[in-house]
Amino acid sequence: MDGNLKIETKDLKTWFGILLDEIASSTPVIELPQEYYWAIPSSDRYDMSRETPRSTIGSLSEDVLQMQRLISIGCSDGMINQQLIWLGAIITAIGEREGYLRDKGETEAE
């Protein structure tokens, strides 16, 4: 890839819509058993010259709380990047939840 990866916002909106519709058709509530996760600061996450990136500890319940605040306060220019990071951590935890969102053709016995 040469240059910066470009993603159209309409595509992001479509992707999120498709995935959220699928999740909503499977379950009304998503339960996440884990609370804490390793978070890698962006200054280290994309630096492939580092042997081992530094990490901090993130909290899913704190991320959810911050996103719930978004409903009451809305987006502000100074917070959008951080709000996307919190949402990203939540989405990652949902995606990594093994066997939680099963293929429609699967049954529990399989």
Side-chain angles (χ1 to χ4, degrees), residues 35 37 58-76 78-90:
E35 166 61 24
Y37 59 90
S59 165
L60 287 171
S61 61
E62 181 65 25
D63 296 337
V64 169
L65 179 67
Q66 294 296 338
M67 292 308 298
Q68 288 171 335
R69 290 184 65 227
L70 176 68
I71 295 168
S72 61
I73 65 170
C75 286
S76 63
M79 291 297 295
I80 291 174
N81 287 3
Q82 187 59 50
Q83 290 163 334
L84 287 168
I85 291 168
W86 292 323
L87 182 59
I90 296 164

Side-chain angles (χ1 to χ4, degrees), residues 28-71:
V29 176
I30 296 171
E31 294 182 42
L32 298 173
Q34 62 273 40
E35 166 61 24
Y36 300 104
Y37 59 90
W38 291 112
I40 301 171
S42 62
S43 59
D44 291 343
R45 182 185 342 253
Y46 304 105
D47 183 356
M48 297 302 126
S49 67
R50 292 185 64 96
E51 192 169 311
T52 305
R54 293 175 297 140
S55 60
T56 60
I57 296 175
S59 165
L60 287 171
S61 61
E62 181 65 25
D63 296 337
V64 169
L65 179 67
Q66 294 296 338
M67 292 308 298
Q68 288 171 335
R69 290 184 65 227
L70 176 68
I71 295 168

Side-chain angles (χ1 to χ4, degrees), residues 1 5 13 19 24 37 39 79 86 108:
M1 180 179 87
L5 176 63
K13 192 172 184 176
L19 294 173
Y37 59 90
M79 291 297 295
W86 292 323
E108 289 296 324

